[in-house]
Amino acid sequence: MPPPGPKGGRPFAYCPDRAWPGGRTCKQLAAAQDALAEALGEPPTADTALAEATAGFGEAAARLAAPLAEVLAEASALRGAIAEELTAAAARVEQAESSASTERGLREA
């Protein structure tokens, strides 16, 4: 993070000790760690963790894709069946109201 000031950064209160054992700073230690990882041929740990997390998410998403597609297909079929039932019920209600109106007219006549 940039030093505190107009560009932002953490206030000094959060990082009172800026040097580690041996008189090294956090930046120097991070540079040494990156140099060691590069010398050993290993990617930095943050990138490795991110790659592993991304791969894990991809695998989980792939495993869920097929079951979710089935659920979506079933939900679509259910929606169609419900729409048909509601249309049929509305038609029966309209027919019953029409019959009731006709019978009421006959009783009054």
Side-chain angles (χ1 to χ4, degrees):
M1 293 185 76
K7 292 185 179 181
R10 281 187 185 237
F12 288 114
Y14 288 101
C15 192
D17 296 327
R18 298 198 175 274
W20 290 84
R24 296 189 178 182
T25 64
C26 292
K27 189 174 183 179
Q28 290 171 331
L29 290 175
Q33 181 180 4
D34 290 343
L36 177 63
E38 186 178 324
L40 295 175
E42 300 173 1
T45 56
D47 291 340
T48 303
L50 180 61
E52 289 174 0
T54 303
F57 176 78
E59 292 171 5
R63 284 193 312 267
L64 289 175
L68 287 177
E70 291 176 17
V71 168
L72 181 60
E74 291 296 324
S76 296
L78 181 61
R79 182 184 298 170
I82 289 173
E84 289 175 13
E85 288 290 327
L86 288 176
T87 303
R92 286 192 304 267
V93 166
E94 187 176 319
Q95 183 182 8
E97 288 176 347
S98 176
S99 296
S101 175
T102 303
E103 289 177 12
R104 189 178 313 120
L106 291 174
R107 275 183 289 173
E108 288 177 2

